[in-house]
Amino acid sequence: MTSGPYTSDATPLAHTDALVLDYLAALWAATEDLDPDLRDELMTTVADYIALRRSAGGTPAEDPAQILRRLGSPESLAAAARRGRMPAHLRRPVPAPAVPTAPSAGAEYAGLALLTAGAIVLPVLGPFAGMLLISGSPRWSAPHKTAAWVLAAGPALLGFALVVLGVLFGGGPDSLVVAYLMMLAGGFVAALTLLPGLTARRHYPQGY
């Protein structure tokens, strides 16, 4: 073989391999006047094109001689590169941009359920878990989520403090009932303020 990055060793080559290497060597020589980066890009693209179709196998179109005929002469590829464009059959397909899908409303309904029914079973943990789900939803704006956090957490913290004070200072059952109702009220009020957002337009991030 001649100069260039595509050289052979002492191992005898199959006829089809020799055809490919001769073609690449001719292309290397024909593109001597190109910008080095453009020359390397063309050589790499052509080599990948040949390798991809040879590895597919199974049809006459994958025969190296046929592949080279489909590529065209090295001179025609070099001329196209000089005109500043890659031949159409060598262009790599551009992946189609992913279309974002709207998040499911299941987590949002679950969040509201935890704020209400969850507060009955777990007065503090239920609303807290519900607000975590609400916070990750694009349906409500940041001010709405902040207000819901205040409405849910404020009464829950006050109720919890009332329970602690009742235990420390011997408060009766009435104080526990009041604390429990306060915890429930916070979750329910927060859910009521968020409920209209289920039918309103979602606040999707940019790109949705």
Side-chain angles (χ1 to χ4, degrees):
M1 295 296 295
T2 58
S3 62
Y6 303 94
T7 58
S8 63
D9 55 23
T11 305
L13 294 174
H15 175 65
T16 54
D17 292 331
L19 284 177
V20 172
L21 292 176
D22 286 343
Y23 184 93
L24 293 175
L27 181 60
W28 180 258
T31 55
E32 187 175 5
D33 60 326
L34 292 181
D35 176 80
D37 290 338
L38 179 58
R39 189 186 196 191
D40 288 342
E41 180 186 1
L42 179 61
M43 294 296 301
T44 300
T45 302
V46 171
D48 289 346
Y49 177 94
I50 296 171
L52 179 63
R53 278 146 186 81
R54 290 189 71 185
S55 64
T59 66
E62 313 308 330
D63 177 76
Q66 298 241 14
I67 295 172
L68 298 181
R69 279 194 290 272
R70 288 170 58 193
L71 276 170
S73 67
E75 291 75 18
S76 65
L77 294 183
R82 289 189 191 95
R83 292 193 295 268
R85 64 181 183 86
M86 192 70 70
H89 58 290
L90 289 179
R91 292 174 190 161
R92 295 170 182 171
V94 178
V99 178
T101 56
S104 171
E108 297 159 349
Y109 284 105
L112 293 178
L114 286 169
L115 280 173
T116 54
I120 298 175
V121 181
L122 298 171
V124 177
L125 295 180
F128 179 76
M131 284 308 305
L132 287 180
L133 293 176
I134 296 297
S135 297
S137 169
R139 189 181 293 270
W140 294 281
S141 65
H144 283 112
K145 295 175 183 178
T146 301
W149 268 108
V150 172
L151 291 172
L157 291 176
L158 290 175
F160 181 76
L162 187 60
V163 171
V164 173
L165 291 175
V167 172
L168 292 177
F169 298 102
D174 291 344
S175 62
L176 297 179
V177 172
V178 171
Y180 179 73
L181 292 177
M182 289 178 63
M183 295 177 186
L184 289 182
F188 275 87
V189 172
L192 288 175
T193 62
L194 294 170
L195 192 59
L198 288 177
T199 56
R201 183 179 180 273
R202 294 190 177 201
H203 300 272
Y204 290 118
Q206 186 176 2
Y208 278 79

